Amino acid sequence: MSRPHLWIRAEARPTEQRVPIVPAHAAQLISDGFEVTVEESPTRVVPLEDYVAAGCATVPAGSWPDAPEGAVVVGIKELPEDPADLRHTHVFFAHAYKGQEGSQEVLDRFRRGGGELLDVEYLTVGGKRVVAFGFWAGYVGAALSVLRHRGLLDGAVAPMTREDLDDRLRGSAGETPERALVIGARGRSGQGAVEALTVAGCAVTRWDRPQTARLDKAALLDHDLLVNCVVSAGAGGQEAFVTAADLDAPRRLRVVGDVTCDVTSEANLVPVNTAVTTWTEPVRRLGPEEHPLEVIAIDNLPSLLPRESSESFSAELTPLLPDLADRAGPWAASLEWFRRHVHQG
Ligand SMILES: NC(=O)c1ccc[n+]([C@@H]2O[C@H](COP(=O)([O-])OP(=O)(O)OC[C@H]3O[C@@H](n4cnc5c(N)ncnc54)[C@H](O)[C@@H]3O)[C@@H](O)[C@H]2O)c1
């Protein structure tokens, strides 16, 4: 069976430390017949030496435009603006099919260069995504929420290790566990949120669709923390979880971790919040000064735990790579999305 040459590129964003394939999986791929080349990177959480030890070739950062024909360039986030024309096959999150800002420019670059986009978001089996960062998004979103509730999150956040985060979660637990509610608890990010809250010693309530079908608002507001992990698109008819009116209602609720971050969407189930927050200003204060509701709605949470996020992403991506040469399985689904959109222009 033929094996494409995999080219792991350096990420363009200076704050992005994640990598799509970690050295242990690169070694497996090499023993399975793949050639794996890794670009040097000033930011990546995994040292280059680990890739060398795994048997990978190394090249300078940003050299992928000169990769041999047929090489598949693998990354996580956006490509740099140069070169203008893309001639290779690229695997990454391009955010190019839902009319996002800049999506036509991305598709134009592929059209002009004759390249191919296999967007990770559209790798699906039976309609379900097979490679995603949800678990660690939920984990870190819930962890920041509980730290804020304990008065331990002031100022900016930056990429961290799970060990440090867990030490802070365990070390700050008080005698009375906080009451924490996770909605969407059966999903990827919901499971991550439940795990972080458990490490933090919270009393965790798990809700998913059956519990929100008839929303018990008083029960919801009787938690200290809420972590919203639902996929809200398509949740038509669902009563919103927290609205502006709830700011003045009797409530125990003080912190909302909005992992979903659908802040500008009509489907937003936490409409009390209308803006994302950032690494530099992670917390928004809403409501009365004497009894605020604080919201954390960071839309790039997995980058805050770059090692764990890379390892789980790589573990999901690697078993799919043998099908890449034939564009079979989930690759066919992603390619179909590309063809449909690239031919629309
Ligand atoms: N902030 C970030 O950095 C970040 C990172 C990754 C994912 N996300 C977002 O987090 C959200 C969840 O992603 P995921 O991978 O965990 O999805 P998922 O599909 O694994 O899980 C979603 C869960 O929500 C539940 N759900 C849907 N509608 C519900 C409702 N009305 N009431 C209760 N539960 C409901 C589903 O049953 C499911 O269990 C997505 O919107 C995703 O885009 C955000």
Side-chain angles (χ1 to χ4, degrees), residues 144 153-157 277-284 295-298:
L144 295 179
L153 179 67
D154 275 320
V157 291
T277 62
T278 61
W279 289 11
T280 35
E281 286 184 44
V283 183
R284 275 189 87 199
V295 181
I296 298 175
I298 297 174

Side-chain angles (χ1 to χ4, degrees), residues 133-134 137 183-184 186-190 207-209 212 229-231 235 238 241 259-262 269 298-302:
F133 281 113
I183 311 188
R186 285 187 193 158
R188 277 179 287 249
S189 55
W207 285 3
D208 209 280
R209 287 178 195 273
T212 59
C229 295
V230 305
V231 169
Q238 171 66 57
F241 303 146
V259 174
T260 301
C261 276
D262 273 340
L269 290 174
I298 297 174
D299 63 4
N300 53 351
L301 288 166

Side-chain angles (χ1 to χ4, degrees), residues 146 150 169-170 172-174 178 195-202:
V146 73
R150 292 175 182 173
L169 293 176
R170 287 199 187 94
S172 57
E178 295 90 348
E195 189 162 322
L197 294 166
T198 306
V199 169
C202 298

Side-chain angles (χ1 to χ4, degrees), residues 6-9 17-31 34 36-38 44-56 74-76 131 133 136 305-319 321:
L6 301 172
W7 189 285
I8 304 172
R9 66 173 164 86
Q17 300 184 3
R18 292 175 297 172
V19 62
I21 300 172
V22 297
H25 295 140
Q28 267 176 34
L29 290 163
I30 290 167
S31 70
F34 285 87
V36 182
T37 297
V38 184
R44 189 182 292 135
V45 71
V46 183
L48 195 68
E49 303 84 80
D50 295 4
Y51 286 99
V52 174
C56 303
V74 189
I76 291 186
V131 185
F133 281 113
W136 294 108
L305 277 180
R307 183 173 289 276
E308 288 72 19
S309 296
S310 299
E311 282 167 358
S312 62
F313 184 94
S314 178
E316 291 179 350
L317 182 68
T318 302
L321 292 169

